[in-house]
């Protein structure tokens, strides 16, 4: 992913921290939205149609994960005799699946700010207080690293 503007000087006010975190998360959302649009178009081409009227029903009810899995199945069939192609695609798929999971945690999870420590916590989707609800804490530079790699 591309490099963002330099982070503001520390310590940040509550508003500045929220704006900085929002910009980082927003950047990830925009990049993944562009990726999903291109994935939809790719699936249409591989399925033999570029027409939106025919493509819509195929992809509009699929999650991003289901679309990626559909592409994986199509590539596996098209490149069945090309080990190098499959190896390269599977490496790409693994990276994109990790980014997809991060996007899901960021979008569907909750966010809590600790202004004193200049940290933000991403809380995995679920009910507050649930034992299985994972919390990941980030400093602003660590969040930027997470979003841009």
């Amino acid at each position: 992913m591309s490099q963002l503007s330099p982070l503001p000087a520390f310590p940040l006010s509550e508003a500045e921290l929220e704006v900085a975190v929002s910009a980082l998360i927003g950047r990830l959302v925009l990049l993944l939205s562009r990726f999903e649009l291109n994935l939809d178009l790719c699936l249409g081409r591989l399925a033999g149609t570029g027409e939106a009227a025919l493509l819509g029903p195929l992809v509009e009810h699929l999650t991003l994960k289901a679309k990626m899995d559909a592409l994986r199945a199509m590539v596996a069939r098209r490149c069945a005799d090309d080990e190098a192609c499959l190896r390269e695609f599977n490496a790409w798929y693994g990276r994109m699946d990790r980014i997809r999971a991060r996007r899901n945690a960021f979008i569907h999870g909750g966010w809590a700010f600790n202004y004193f420590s200049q940290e933000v916590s991403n809380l995995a989707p679920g009910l507050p207080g649930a034992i299985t609800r994972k919390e990941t804490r980030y400093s602003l530079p660590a969040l930027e690293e997470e979003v841009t790699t």
Side-chain angles (χ1 to χ4, degrees), residues 46-124:
L46 287 172
T49 181
E51 297 179 43
L54 294 174
L55 180 61
L58 175 66
V59 297
E60 65 190 16
H61 299 290
L62 298 177
T63 64
L64 178 57
K65 173 76 167 135
K67 292 174 188 181
M68 290 174 58
D69 289 345
L71 178 62
R72 187 180 213 179
M74 294 169 113
V75 168
R77 286 181 177 88
R78 287 233 172 160
C79 300
D81 297 331
D82 189 344
E83 280 188 41
C85 175
L86 291 174
R87 194 171 31 260
E88 184 177 343
F89 178 83
N90 286 328
W92 171 87
Y93 179 93
R95 177 163 160 62
M96 288 310 300
D97 194 48
R98 286 187 298 279
I99 293 169
R100 178 203 57 79
R102 185 180 317 144
R103 163 218 178 241
N104 285 354
F106 283 10
I107 292 174
H108 300 297
W111 290 92
F113 293 84
N114 183 333
Y115 304 104
F116 180 74
S117 68
Q118 297 283 289
E119 290 182 327
V120 61
S121 294
N122 176 243
L123 307 168

